[in-house]
Amino acid sequence: MANAQEAPPARVTVVRLSQTGHVVAALTRAAPGAAPSVRALVGDALRLAVPGLSGQILVPAELLTAEEITAPPGLLVAPWLWSVEVTETGVGAVPLTGAPPGANWSDVGGGSLKVTTSPLAASGTAVLALVHPAPSWDPGVAPKAILTGALDDDGVAWLGAGEVALSDHALVFVQGRPAGVYVPSAVHLAAGTVT
């Protein structure tokens, strides 16, 4: 009896955040070749579920990149647990590790978001926050502000200078870490209230 040949690894198209690498969607396609453009896949924005909540936020297509990669086991089952890294040897998916970033509002600069990591992430690590206006994460709401930056030597990033209000919420991405949610107060969703 001949040995059965192993199936080649699956090729998938991933949609990721350009700044931090977080995979926000993954799909297989029948047609071989390069990945379609982001706009062909998501239009002007991708509806992204908020981790741990039942709401959604629209992620503008300008923040996203689409790429064709070899899928590690589990990527299609839970794409939000993966990140895509581009190195000298190519593009590949790696699992997100560690705790989600912490975030809190500060009146430094008239209103900014202080993002922290534990354990500390390396200085220069990319950070992205999608600030959402209170009082809800109802489906289809665009971010109030898109804030970007990098962690300093203390593992802290100060994002924004006046764009964040005490009542705002934020979906926070730190390269290599699971996404975090900053919610200063009760969140009123269509399906109920989360405190």
Side-chain angles (χ1 to χ4, degrees):
M1 179 182 218
N3 289 341
Q5 291 184 347
E6 289 186 28
R11 296 288 292 172
V12 300
T13 298
V14 293
V15 177
R16 68 175 177 92
L17 291 170
S18 303
Q19 173 135 0
T20 64
H22 287 79
V23 175
V24 293
L27 60 134
T28 59
R29 297 181 299 125
S37 72
V38 167
R39 289 202 183 271
L41 294 170
V42 305
D44 291 334
L46 171 74
R47 288 182 183 270
L48 184 63
V50 179
L53 301 174
S54 61
Q56 297 176 344
I57 190 167
L58 294 176
V59 181
E62 295 78 32
L63 299 179
L64 303 169
T65 301
E67 290 168 304
E68 186 83 2
I69 65 168
T70 300
L75 186 137
L76 284 169
V77 175
W80 57 88
L81 299 178
W82 295 86
S83 177
V84 171
E85 292 186 2
V86 181
T87 66
E88 304 83 38
T89 58
V91 179
V94 296
L96 295 167
T97 59
N104 64 306
W105 182 88
S106 172
D107 60 4
V108 172
S112 60
L113 200 64
K114 178 183 179 184
V115 177
T116 58
T117 58
S118 179
L120 295 181
S123 176
T125 298
V127 180
L128 168 70
L130 303 176
V131 179
H132 191 285
S136 69
W137 286 99
D138 289 331
V141 176
K144 169 185 167 183
I146 299 166
L147 307 177
T148 61
L151 297 175
D152 63 18
D153 291 336
D154 297 322
V156 175
W158 292 96
L159 304 180
E163 298 95 334
V164 184
L166 181 59
S167 60
D168 287 339
H169 307 149
L171 185 52
V172 182
F173 300 90
V174 171
Q175 188 172 8
R177 302 291 175 95
V181 180
Y182 167 61
V183 182
S185 59
V187 183
H188 301 283
L189 303 170
T193 300
V194 177
T195 56

